Amino acid sequence: MLLFTPGPTPTPEFVRLAMSAPTIHHRTQEFEEIFATTRNLLKEMLKTQEVLMLASSGSGAMEACVTSLCENKLLSINSGKFGERFGKIANSFGIPCVEIKNPWDIPASLDSVMEALNNNPEIDAFCIQACESAGGLRHPYEIIAKAIKDFNPEIMVIVDGITAMGVEPLDVSCVDALIGGSQKAFMLPPGMSIIGLSQKAIEKIERRNVGFYFNLKTELKNQIKNTTAWTAPTTIIIGLCAFLQEAKKIGFENIYQDTKARSLACDMALEGINLKIYPTIPALAMTTIADEQSDEIRKILKNEFSVNVAGGQDHLKGKIFRINHMGMVPLSEISWVINAIELSLEKLGRRKFNGFANQIFLEQYYKIKNQG
Ligand SMILES: *Cc1c(COP(=O)(O)O)cnc(C)c1O
């Protein structure tokens, strides 16, 4: 079965092999060396002042950022399941939260953010997704982050980049916390989250010193010494180290360019066989198709072509399907997925199969890839 869900993504053999070594103790020089190498590679990739690795899924890092960086009132963008989560986290800690709610195919607007900031001078932290995975939507987080910092540089900008980190080069010049997760573009098993931090975020974390397990001050103190506050997820970090070393060898920019080519070419290929892209501004991490027969297509893909793509959640259940582009996806696999989608449409009596989708895909893929 080809796993083509936008998280978890498949773990490549070289990473699985690295993780198959016997478990080592986390308080050893041996592990500290691996931790140091991983930390340095992550900093190089993210271009943030500091970086933390936490033993939790992505939501743990989202919670840690909200509790550590928001003291008075949170402003949160909700264009889907993951944006909604920031508001739920704030509510569960009794942190006042203003939410800007949009349909799941519509990105956050700068005007709505500035209006909320003007109406709520207590706001001291802002949360947004780079890619809202619920509808495969790309938010213009860079433009909003810049405007917020021009308005008041003390407002902490928290970007959930879980489905953007490792997908495209991310501008962190106005970002205080950039969140990532192991099971997306890093192609690792679920269970580890990443936070890139700015100098301003570090200062606020140290001044506030909140929480116990997710106390980022405690983590910072330990991780700059290449160890962790609690038992580290050693196996996943060993896998991450192997992944980042390989990614560096290939070149981060080359991975970004390949992902972009696969993603844009896939969008065009599926539009070429009359499928409809769901979000108004699609993210590169996934292709999201709006289709009334989404469940039927997914069933045929799984049962007849051994391809597992994701469906939708809540009101989009049965209305969309999502195809992953995160990670080092072999061209042969995505090419087969696109072919299988066209074959599924023939089985549903919607078009006669002639390989047109794959023809568009390959033409566009090589065209975009060679643009450099
Ligand atoms: C996957 C994902 C998360 C993290 O969810 P977990 O299940 O806690 O790992 C957060 N935000 C986005 C945008 C995601 O795609």
Side-chain angles (χ1 to χ4, degrees):
M1 183 70 67
L2 291 180
L3 181 60
F4 261 83
T5 55
T9 57
T11 303
E13 188 176 36
F14 75 91
V15 176
R16 282 184 276 124
L17 286 173
M19 294 191 304
S20 68
T23 302
I24 55 171
H25 197 276
H26 55 291
R27 308 286 181 210
T28 55
Q29 197 191 340
E30 193 187 354
F31 183 68
E32 283 175 20
E33 280 170 17
I34 295 168
F35 195 89
T37 306
T38 312
R39 240 174 82 73
N40 289 333
L41 285 167
L42 269 180
K43 279 202 217 170
E44 186 180 329
M45 177 188 168
L46 304 183
K47 303 184 168 76
T48 52
Q49 175 76 22
E50 256 311 329
V51 67
L52 293 174
M53 288 172 261
L54 305 177
S56 75
S57 82
S59 303
M62 291 168 75
E63 174 174 323
C65 287
V66 170
T67 57
S68 304
L69 297 175
C70 184
E71 199 164 4
N72 301 320
K73 196 177 216 179
L74 187 72
L75 175 60
S76 169
I77 301 295
N78 175 354
S79 291
K81 250 344 230 179
F82 295 100
E84 178 189 58
R85 190 163 302 173
F86 277 124
K88 285 186 170 176
I89 291 168
N91 285 340
S92 75
F93 284 95
I95 300 168
C97 178
V98 178
E99 202 174 62
I100 299 173
K101 217 170 160 174
N102 295 313
W104 290 16
D105 58 343
I106 304 290
S109 80
L110 179 56
D111 287 350
S112 66
V113 170
M114 297 321 289
E115 190 188 324
L117 291 179
N118 280 309
N119 291 339
N120 299 273
E122 328 81 273
I123 288 170
D124 66 336
F126 169 75
C127 290
I128 190 168
Q129 272 61 39
C131 162
E132 170 53 82
S133 314
L137 177 70
R138 178 63 157 80
H139 283 300
Y141 83 87
E142 308 90 327
I143 295 166
I144 296 173
K146 168 88 172 55
I148 291 174
K149 289 295 180 183
D150 287 344
F151 177 81
N152 177 0
E154 299 310 312
I155 297 174
M156 290 287 119
V157 173
I158 301 165
V159 176
D160 166 0
I162 296 180
T163 44
M165 197 181 273
V167 170
E168 55 176 313
L170 295 172
D171 178 358
V172 291
S173 55
C174 295
V175 174
D176 294 295
L178 180 69
I179 302 168
S182 58
Q183 80 275 31
K184 308 278 167 97
F186 295 104
M187 306 186 87
L188 294 162
M192 196 193 67
S193 59
I194 294 163
I195 311 175
L197 293 169
S198 71
Q199 188 55 41
K200 264 200 144 54
I202 294 168
E203 284 157 19
K204 192 158 184 181
I205 285 164
E206 297 197 324
R207 177 167 60 73
R208 285 180 38 74
N209 188 18
V210 292
F212 182 75
Y213 184 78
F214 286 127
N215 185 312
L216 298 184
K217 182 180 179 183
T218 318
E219 283 300 342
L220 270 169
K221 193 177 104 202
N222 283 280
Q223 296 198 16
I224 54 175
K225 291 184 287 187
N226 297 316
T227 188
T228 48
W230 325 118
T231 305
T234 49
T235 308
I236 303 183
I237 292 173
I238 288 166
L240 178 59
C241 190
F243 178 88
L244 290 171
Q245 283 172 327
E246 178 67 16
K248 189 175 170 171
K249 217 186 310 160
I250 297 170
F252 293 116
E253 292 303 323
N254 292 329
I255 292 176
Y256 297 147
Q257 187 62 27
D258 186 66
T259 304
K260 182 175 157 189
R262 271 186 285 109
S263 182
L264 296 178
C266 179
D267 286 1
M268 287 187 257
L270 298 185
E271 281 184 304
I273 54 169
N274 291 325
L275 289 173
K276 192 182 168 297
I277 304 287
Y278 172 72
T280 52
I281 310 286
L284 293 172
M286 64 198 79
T287 293
T288 304
I289 298 295
D291 197 285
E292 286 302 318
Q293 286 188 302
S294 289
D295 282 352
E296 288 91 331
I297 293 170
R298 285 179 62 222
K299 205 177 285 168
I300 297 171
L301 286 175
K302 192 163 185 180
N303 296 338
E304 301 188 35
F305 301 110
S306 293
V307 171
N308 187 359
V309 301
Q313 294 161 292
D314 294 1
H315 64 285
L316 292 182
K317 220 170 175 341
K319 308 278 186 214
I320 61 166
F321 63 98
R322 297 172 294 155
I323 305 150
N324 175 58
H325 299 302
M326 291 179 281
M328 303 158 186
V329 180
L331 187 60
S332 56
E333 292 186 3
I334 179 64
S335 181
W336 169 247
V337 171
I338 288 164
N339 225 31
I341 291 170
E342 189 180 342
L343 286 164
S344 306
L345 294 183
E346 176 171 79
K347 286 192 180 281
L348 289 167
R350 287 172 48 172
R351 66 174 278 117
K352 196 156 165 45
F353 178 83
N354 61 0
F356 189 47
N358 220 15
Q359 183 191 331
I360 298 174
F361 173 73
L362 289 171
E363 273 173 15
Q364 294 299 328
Y365 170 80
Y366 286 112
K367 195 168 135 193
I368 300 163
K369 179 121 173 164
N370 294 333
Q371 278 164 2

